[in-house]
Amino acid sequence: MTHAAPLPPQVVESVSTPERVETHLGTLEFPLGVPTDETADRLYDHLDHLHAVRGFLDAYSGVNLWAARRGLADVGVRDHDVLLFSEFMDAKSLVLTGNADTVYFITFLDLTEGPVVVEMPPLTLSFVNDLWFRYVADPGMPGPDRGTGGAYLFVPPGYDGPLPEGGFFTHRVRTTRLVLAGRAFLEDGDPAPIAQRVRERLRIHRYEPGLYGTSVAEIVTGGTAPPPPWTADTWTAALRPADPPCFVEATGLPLNMVPPADATYFDFANELVQDQPAEALDPEIAGPLAAVGIVKGEPFEPDERMRGILAEAAAVGNATARTLACRPRPSEGAHYYGPSSQWVNGLLAAGYDFMTPPADITDSGVQPRPTSGARKLNLRSWWWYLAVGISPTFATRLTGVGSQYLFSFADHEGRPLDGGRNYRLVLPPDIPAARFWSVTVYDNQTRSMLDTPQRFPRSGSQGYPGPAATADADGTTTVHFGPERPDGVPEGNWVQTLPDRGWFAVLRLYSPLSPFFDKTWRAGEIEAAG
């Protein structure tokens, strides 16, 4: 019998843990290969901190939306009430990169008692997301009703009751609450007709089995029937218009829909987890939250040690998310015109699922792009720290549909934008937007519109809510930024900033055209002007 040669010492060494390990956590000690009490405590603190930071970053989409729902509740807006910005949003409302370009409306849908019907007004551009900000539907112009108005039926998880034969665009969802957010465009420069149409046509009500969508033939042959007693009115009840929801005017309304950046973030996360079915939460997000004590059906009662860790993790998590938002690395692929440019669009790099880049749209059709199979976590954090809502239409290269955004946090030399200085942005002729374009300024801290005496911190091609920008004789359009309007600059070409406040800009193209996607048209960089 032969004996195998012993393993080389370097192999044994490579799989062994030294008794003293020097790390950024300090010296870790493992006598006889077992951690000391002090080392174990330090590593568990570190592990809890890692899980908490991961939970902060990964759960941001859900906490983002939960903060929005809480913000509405704080001003008396309940589920199924509709917050309506009939004269456009202004800087009094803290809404992540909200803008003063369109009439906005937003409502939360409550499916806890069963399916809910939403009757959409025509000529809107809307999205429905679940309570973790996952895509559900696009009612309106990009959706199946194509802007004509339609009835959408949302079915909660676990529902096994009757459903209609037809008449609705039906969606089964993973959460028992949803958000519906919509916008509509000016008509002849006036928001009033749009706001009135939303009030007249937007309806939200419970689905009534056996009525609209179910034929009498289906009922009498053993299908779904409305609850007895039946009368002659039973068969026409569904034809009567639903009552309007409560509309709450939001223009000028002080409102906070931005998530907290301190340890209360985790209290928001716990409220959301407790509100929703356990199955609604993706395991990749549930894991880090559970590791710090946020578990469906269990009390969240962190002790003093864990509270300290959560406070530190919120500070680090928020700092990390802010860094990913303000300074994405060129390797992420989000710099729209290449690493030398400050203009960023992370969705066109990551796709709406943050995993699959959007398809190429060519003369021969739609050509899907391959996925790496890996979630682009940094770009996911980039989006949810800056924005609300998600849809495939946000990340599409289809011309004439939806809108596209470019973000810039720095001037052409990479320096942060200072509200006490003057800047200019030159946009070449033939700005590729079939509807209109705008540039909006945001406060770096709140990521909401910058609150200045100007009220609506924007410039653009629309003449509402302020004067439209004026093009120069050569066709270029120059937008100026600074605390005071420069001499000779038209009012519509200037956006006011505030000394001692950092800001960033978002360039929006509504119904973008092919020169934007093929980059034959390129926005100028924001440049210091004196």
Side-chain angles (χ1 to χ4, degrees):
M1 178 177 180
T2 60
H3 295 281
L7 290 170
Q10 61 267 28
V11 173
V12 176
E13 182 179 352
S14 71
V15 301
S16 300
T17 301
E19 290 199 354
R20 294 172 60 87
V21 180
E22 301 296 335
T23 74
H24 74 280
L25 301 177
T27 302
L28 305 177
E29 298 183 341
F30 296 88
L32 300 176
V34 177
T36 63
D37 290 345
E38 192 277 337
T39 289
D41 289 344
R42 193 184 312 176
L43 286 172
Y44 273 117
D45 283 351
H46 176 60
L47 186 61
D48 288 339
H49 174 76
L50 289 178
H51 287 317
V53 171
R54 190 73 265 164
F56 186 101
L57 295 172
D58 289 350
Y60 207 90
S61 61
V63 177
N64 182 337
L65 190 50
W66 190 255
R69 183 170 180 265
R70 282 188 48 151
L72 267 61
D74 287 344
V75 295
V77 180
R78 303 159 301 175
D79 291 350
H80 294 192
D81 292 348
V82 179
L83 194 70
L84 177 63
F85 294 87
S86 65
E87 296 180 357
F88 286 13
M89 186 186 300
D90 68 10
K92 298 303 180 187
S93 298
L94 298 186
V95 180
L96 293 177
T97 52
N99 63 73
D101 291 337
T102 62
V103 170
Y104 274 116
F105 57 91
I106 182 171
T107 183
F108 282 84
L109 309 178
D110 180 1
L111 280 61
T112 57
E113 297 180 12
V116 168
V117 175
V118 177
E119 299 175 25
M120 290 296 299
L123 301 177
T124 60
L125 192 66
S126 309
F127 66 80
V128 174
N129 288 174
D130 74 13
L131 217 57
W132 284 95
F133 256 144
R134 291 175 297 222
Y135 170 70
V136 174
D138 285 318
M141 289 184 281
D145 68 281
R146 285 295 197 268
T148 62
Y152 287 75
L153 177 63
F154 299 103
V155 183
Y159 177 80
D160 59 0
L163 291 173
E165 295 174 72
F168 300 92
F169 301 109
T170 300
H171 296 268
R172 288 189 176 271
V173 298
R174 295 175 61 183
T175 60
T176 58
R177 301 185 204 276
L178 306 173
V179 63
L180 164 65
R183 56 189 172 173
F185 302 110
L186 293 173
E187 293 183 0
D188 298 323
D190 187 359
I194 309 162
Q196 185 61 25
R197 187 165 58 243
V198 172
R199 291 189 184 97
E200 291 176 352
R201 297 289 298 273
L202 179 61
R203 296 293 183 264
I204 302 168
H205 55 87
R206 301 287 175 194
Y207 167 64
E208 298 182 71
L211 295 183
Y212 179 81
T214 302
S215 66
V216 173
E218 172 72 8
I219 294 171
V220 300
T221 56
T224 300
W230 295 352
T231 69
D233 290 339
T234 299
W235 314 109
T236 58
L239 302 179
R240 291 193 290 269
D243 293 333
C246 172
F247 287 95
V248 178
E249 178 53 54
T251 300
L253 180 66
L255 172 73
N256 178 26
M257 296 171 61
V258 178
D262 58 17
T264 60
Y265 174 96
F266 294 99
D267 296 307
F268 278 51
N270 180 63
E271 291 174 10
L272 172 56
V273 168
Q274 302 308 327
D275 184 74
Q276 290 301 302
E279 298 78 15
L281 182 53
D282 290 333
E284 67 174 289
I285 300 175
L289 293 179
V292 298
I294 298 175
V295 180
K296 173 72 174 179
E298 298 183 11
F300 178 50
E301 298 173 343
D303 58 19
E304 184 177 355
R305 179 193 76 90
M306 182 58 79
R307 273 290 175 194
I309 289 173
L310 294 177
E312 170 73 7
V316 172
N318 180 69
T320 302
R322 179 167 290 270
T323 299
L324 294 173
C326 299
R327 292 189 171 183
R329 291 180 293 196
S331 60
E332 303 282 358
H335 288 75
Y336 192 64
Y337 298 114
S340 64
S341 173
Q342 300 300 325
W343 291 112
V344 170
N345 182 315
L347 289 186
L348 288 179
Y352 83 100
D353 61 356
F354 307 102
M355 189 164 62
T356 309
D360 292 317
I361 310 296
T362 69
D363 292 341
S364 58
V366 177
Q367 298 181 356
R369 301 177 71 187
T371 178
S372 66
R375 194 83 65 192
K376 294 178 172 60
L377 299 178
N378 291 347
L379 291 181
R380 181 172 71 178
S381 294
W382 171 85
W383 178 252
W384 293 122
Y385 197 72
L386 295 175
V388 293
I390 199 67
S391 163
T393 61
F394 293 9
T396 177
R397 294 182 173 87
L398 192 63
T399 60
V401 173
S403 54
Q404 286 297 327
Y405 310 154
L406 295 178
F407 295 69
S408 181
F409 280 85
D411 69 11
H412 70 294
E413 294 184 357
R415 297 171 298 195
L417 299 169
D418 183 345
R421 299 188 62 185
N422 294 317
Y423 300 86
R424 63 173 173 262
L425 165 66
V426 178
L427 300 174
D430 302 319
I431 298 171
R435 285 188 178 271
F436 62 93
W437 64 269
S438 72
V439 178
T440 304
V441 165
Y442 296 94
D443 187 314
N444 279 351
Q445 292 298 334
T446 66
R447 291 97 75 201
S448 304
M449 284 188 284
L450 187 65
D451 192 3
T452 73
Q454 193 179 36
R455 187 182 183 190
F456 298 103
R458 65 174 295 282
S459 176
S461 58
Q462 290 193 139
Y464 183 95
T470 302
D472 298 326
D474 62 358
T476 62
T477 301
T478 303
V479 179
H480 296 259
F481 310 91
E484 302 290 340
R485 177 153 56 108
D487 292 341
V489 171
E491 183 181 349
N493 292 64
W494 168 65
V495 185
Q496 188 174 26
T497 59
L498 295 174
D500 302 320
R501 298 297 291 183
W503 59 275
F504 66 98
V506 177
L507 170 64
R508 288 178 169 85
L509 304 176
Y510 289 85
S511 297
L513 302 174
S514 57
F516 170 75
F517 294 110
D518 64 24
K519 301 177 186 175
T520 55
W521 182 91
R522 174 171 174 165
E525 301 293 317
I526 298 174
E527 299 182 357

